[in-house]
Amino acid sequence: MKIKSQIRKWGNSLGLIVPSSIVNDLKLEADTNILVSLEGDRLIIEQDKTLPTLDEILDSIPEDYRHPEDLQDFLESEPQGRELM
């Protein structure tokens, strides 16, 4: 399937308009991470399906994050049985 699209100016970069039929077929969302490569004269765009590392996940937590109040008692509690700590 080939669908015409456009490359447009986006700040100091260029952006590719992805047609809605492709967005729907691939279940793409805004901020989807992609991999871009070149094979001959073809631009290959594919979803980046690599899982984030634990460090990347932890780094994404905002510094001002606070646990919900209903978890506070649990977080401040002492072990009640034979939990491994």
Side-chain angles (χ1 to χ4, degrees), residues 45-64:
I45 302 170
E46 48 192 330
Q47 291 184 58
D48 182 2
K49 296 185 178 182
T50 56
L51 297 174
T53 65
L54 178 57
D55 286 337
E56 290 170 335
I57 293 169
L58 294 175
D59 287 344
S60 72
I61 299 172
E63 286 187 30
D64 61 347

Side-chain angles (χ1 to χ4, degrees), residues 2 14 23 33 37-38 43 48 50 54 56 59 65 68-69:
K2 291 186 180 183
L14 298 176
V23 168
N33 290 320
S37 58
L38 191 59
L43 178 64
D48 182 2
T50 56
L54 178 57
E56 290 170 335
D59 287 344
Y65 176 79
E69 287 184 28

Side-chain angles (χ1 to χ4, degrees), residues 67-82:
H67 293 287
E69 287 184 28
D70 60 339
L71 288 180
Q72 209 56 44
D73 288 342
F74 170 75
L75 293 170
E76 295 171 359
S77 67
E78 295 294 322
Q80 300 297 309
R82 297 173 49 192

Side-chain angles (χ1 to χ4, degrees), residues 6 13 36 39 42 49 69:
Q6 289 183 328
S13 301
V36 180
E39 291 183 10
R42 293 178 183 261
K49 296 185 178 182
E69 287 184 28

